[in-house]
Amino acid sequence: MLALTTAARASFEDLGAGARAPGMGNAFTAVADDVFASHYNPAGLALLERPEFGSSYTRLFMGLSDNSDLSLMFLGYAHPLREGRRGVLGVSWEQFSLDRSLYQEQSLAASYARLLSARPGGGKLYAGLNARYLRRGFGSFPEAANSTSGGLPTANPDPVLTGRNTVAAPDADLGALYRFKEHYALGLALDHVLQPDMAFSPSDTDKVPMAAKLGLSYAVVTTVCRDDL
């Protein structure tokens, strides 16, 4: 048995965006042909020829015993410049939250993608970039003033929960998409290239690890014939 593992992270786990891509098991890196490409592979935005807006709201793990409310939100807009001949600009906002204000992770991104090269009768290479601003924070907890040790209260303040409750940092994603042989496409995306440190305590380190995604897709083209009598 072969098992591939990735680094565990405490924040900004990739939980997907929208409905179409999660319905495909998030295997969207080599497809990425709509506004949600800003989440999966920014290079895919270059495929758009008309402005596109997308939004989604997702409830996660409904029915938890502690009634926790976990949710995802996405808002995105992409605008082709001269029908995409000068590239495509995009902006998106994503948020993961626990009980709305108890804990939040937010990502604001400005995107640009364009066609880099095209061979006559051959393949086309697209590239894209996300410039991101990451922010996370938490609300107030009773445990902040009375931390526990071994499950027992200590009457001492918690050093983390009584410190700063928000942290923000810049980040970036890179993407490439190569379409060849009419039906095939190869996609590569590098997320969190800057590996920002999102630790709440200055004495701790909590870097968001860089993730590499590689995908190959095959598109079936259906031709519809119509006979008018």
Side-chain angles (χ1 to χ4, degrees):
M1 181 177 66
L2 176 63
L4 298 178
T5 61
T6 58
R9 65 179 67 174
S11 59
F12 294 96
E13 181 73 22
D14 187 356
L15 300 175
R20 179 187 174 201
M24 298 167 59
N26 286 320
F28 207 61
T29 306
V31 180
D33 57 359
D34 58 24
V35 69
F36 291 96
S38 62
H39 179 93
Y40 290 95
N41 184 351
L45 293 174
L47 301 175
L48 301 181
E49 297 179 355
R50 291 175 292 184
E52 188 170 319
F53 170 81
S55 66
S56 65
Y57 174 79
T58 308
R59 287 282 301 276
L60 303 172
F61 308 111
M62 296 177 64
L64 295 175
S65 59
D66 62 355
N67 296 319
S68 295
D69 181 3
L70 297 167
S71 63
L72 285 174
M73 295 184 65
F74 176 93
L75 291 172
Y77 176 75
H79 190 89
L81 305 176
R82 295 193 177 182
E83 298 182 345
R85 293 188 297 273
R86 294 291 182 88
V88 178
L89 291 173
V91 62
S92 61
W93 174 79
E94 301 179 50
Q95 176 177 284
F96 166 77
S97 66
L98 166 62
D99 295 336
R100 296 187 179 180
S101 61
L102 199 58
Y103 177 78
Q104 289 185 343
E105 295 176 0
Q106 298 171 335
S107 172
L108 179 63
S111 309
Y112 179 73
R114 67 171 300 159
L115 174 67
L116 283 187
S117 65
R119 292 171 19 192
K124 294 181 179 180
L125 177 63
Y126 304 88
L129 165 71
N130 286 332
R132 289 193 180 273
Y133 179 77
L134 304 183
R135 179 186 180 276
R136 71 168 177 154
F138 59 86
S140 59
F141 300 83
E143 294 80 8
N146 186 14
S147 61
T148 60
S149 178
L152 299 175
T154 64
N156 295 318
D158 186 283
V160 174
L161 298 181
T162 54
R164 62 176 181 175
N165 65 347
T166 60
V167 60
D171 198 4
D173 308 324
L174 299 174
L177 185 66
Y178 183 65
R179 285 191 161 188
F180 59 100
K181 291 187 177 181
E182 186 178 3
H183 300 291
Y184 292 91
L186 182 67
L188 172 66
L190 299 177
D191 296 340
H192 306 298
V193 174
L194 301 184
Q195 301 184 60
D197 189 353
M198 303 301 292
F200 289 110
S201 173
S203 61
D204 293 334
T205 300
D206 184 11
K207 289 188 176 182
V208 182
M210 183 173 66
K213 298 179 291 186
L214 179 66
L216 176 67
S217 71
Y218 175 81
V220 177
V221 178
T222 303
T223 301
V224 178
C225 297
R226 176 180 174 184
D227 293 326
D228 293 326
L229 300 179

